[in-house]
Amino acid sequence: MSQKIGVVGAGTMGNGIAQTFASKGFEVVLQDVTDSALVKGMAQIQASLQRLAKKELIQEANIAGILAHIRPTTVQADLAGCDVVIEAATENPAIKEQIFRGLDAVVRPDCVLASNTSSISLTRIASWVSKPERVVGMHFMNPVPVMQLVEIIRALQTGDEAYQAVFRLSEALGKTPVTVKDSAGFVSNRVLMPMINEAAFTLHEGLASAEDIDTVMKLGMNHPIGPLALADLIGLDTCLSIMDILHAEFRDSKYRACPLLAQLVQAGHLGRKSGKGFYRYD
Ligand SMILES: NC(=O)c1ccc[n+]([C@@H]2O[C@H](COP(=O)([O-])OP(=O)(O)OC[C@H]3O[C@@H](n4cnc5c(N)ncnc54)[C@H](O)[C@@H]3O)[C@@H](O)[C@H]2O)c1
């Protein structure tokens, strides 16, 4: 496949997506708003490739070639020649609306517009562009270079061409695509977040310690990581915001966020990224 891929946003997910495509030989244009975001994103890609080389999953000699496949830019119009653009910018509807309206004006009429959003309705995103049938969800998992799954989300408006293009693209990356209808949380977060939230409730109610709750799920259910440790990895603010979205969308009390989760976020204990969450990381 000799397609040119655009990636919007060079943060955690955007740089992982750019790395994954470049590693498979795709030409990638990586766009962000500031040079510093791009420098940081490219440094993270380089560090990730070096980690993979150390584990002998790629050859050290190939790193420069992979990096050369990625063209960083702050100019949105540089995405004009792309066949598929994947938006992986900050999870904020106002920011995404501005990006999609801008993309609509610069990309080719046959360019597929995908979003990596975790929680914003694809049907809503599609309503921001003049050809909504070309919008589709492409939900990668973190860290993108190692995680096997891509959730493909069909908005109400998604056309077969856009859907099939991202399905085939996911396969070309060596990933496993799973198709999901557009609905809050899709399948991944609809199942995962209530489990994490329930684990927080068991801690909140003093049923067991954080370590013991995680041990129950690891040894009893064969999960590779316990739900509280996983929440710390994802970020407690992200977990809380997804629970709030599920609650607002379905208006079902089973999605109410655990008060302990909300309190930890209020205290700035966001998990690994802040050094403290359900566990301490110092
Ligand atoms: N972090 C995860 O585990 C995860 C997993 C799956 C999906 N997602 C989704 O991926 C998306 C990105 O998340 P992230 O964790 O990489 O965020 P992040 O904060 O690490 O990165 C976001 C990047 O977007 C850039 N950006 C902001 N406005 C922009 C604009 N107008 N144009 C171009 N770039 C812009 C920022 O400068 C930043 O570099 C979100 O929609 C999120 O819901 C995240």
Side-chain angles (χ1 to χ4, degrees):
M1 251 190 227
S2 63
Q3 293 188 58
K4 192 165 169 186
I5 308 296
V7 179
V8 178
T12 312
M13 296 304 287
N15 72 57
I17 295 168
Q19 175 188 331
T20 305
F21 277 102
S23 299
K24 289 283 178 187
F26 289 88
E27 290 301 320
V28 179
V29 180
L30 178 59
Q31 189 254 326
D32 205 307
V33 276
T34 61
D35 283 321
S36 63
L38 290 166
V39 169
K40 195 171 155 206
M42 291 301 289
Q44 279 167 353
I45 294 173
Q46 187 159 14
S48 164
L49 290 170
Q50 269 154 359
R51 278 195 302 275
L52 293 175
K54 237 182 206 151
K55 291 183 189 159
E56 295 184 353
L57 294 169
I58 60 166
Q59 290 186 345
E60 179 95 41
N62 291 342
I63 293 180
I66 295 172
L67 289 170
H69 274 102
I70 307 172
R71 185 177 147 217
T73 179
T74 54
V75 181
Q76 193 180 44
D78 286 346
L79 299 162
C82 292
D83 300 287
V84 176
V85 174
I86 302 160
E87 172 277 317
T90 313
E91 186 75 343
N92 174 321
I95 291 176
K96 295 204 193 276
E97 178 169 359
Q98 188 202 13
I99 291 170
F100 274 86
R101 290 193 188 280
L103 287 172
D104 198 34
V106 300
V107 297
R108 288 201 318 254
D110 61 338
C111 174
V112 172
L113 296 177
S115 175
N116 186 51
T117 181
S118 308
S119 59
I120 300 169
S121 156
L122 266 306
T123 301
R124 183 177 176 198
I125 293 177
S127 76
W128 296 329
V129 303
S130 56
K131 292 177 70 186
E133 64 274 19
R134 64 164 151 182
V135 173
V136 60
M138 205 176 180
H139 187 213
F140 289 88
M141 306 293 127
N142 183 16
V144 182
V146 297
M147 296 298 279
Q148 186 65 31
L149 176 71
V150 183
E151 241 182 342
I152 309 265
I153 299 104
R154 288 195 78 139
L156 204 65
Q157 308 96 316
T158 303
D160 285 342
E161 263 176 56
Y163 163 69
Q164 276 158 15
V166 296
F167 195 96
R168 282 197 302 269
L169 213 46
S170 306
E171 288 182 328
L173 293 176
K175 308 265 185 220
T176 303
V178 170
T179 307
V180 177
K181 269 200 246 172
D182 187 25
S183 173
F186 315 133
V187 168
S188 51
N189 284 322
R190 174 90 173 263
V191 175
L192 175 66
M193 287 302 159
M195 183 193 70
I196 285 176
N197 194 50
E198 207 56 35
F201 267 115
T202 61
L203 181 68
H204 184 56
E205 293 167 15
L207 269 64
S209 66
E211 288 82 358
D212 284 350
I213 293 162
D214 278 351
T215 301
V216 167
M217 298 307 286
K218 282 191 292 180
L219 302 188
M221 320 299 159
N222 241 356
H223 289 196
I225 182 171
L228 300 174
L230 179 58
D232 277 356
L233 199 65
I234 294 168
L236 302 192
D237 50 342
T238 304
C239 295
L240 178 62
S241 115
I242 295 174
M243 284 310 296
D244 287 345
I245 286 167
L246 292 173
H247 195 213
E249 188 74 23
F250 297 114
R251 293 178 194 165
D252 186 328
S253 65
K254 74 178 174 180
Y255 298 116
R256 77 214 177 284
C258 170
L260 176 61
L261 186 62
Q263 272 184 332
L264 287 169
V265 172
Q266 278 161 5
H269 300 165
L270 308 181
R272 276 182 186 270
K273 63 185 166 189
S274 71
K276 196 174 175 195
F278 290 113
Y279 296 94
R280 299 189 70 98
Y281 302 89
D282 42 29

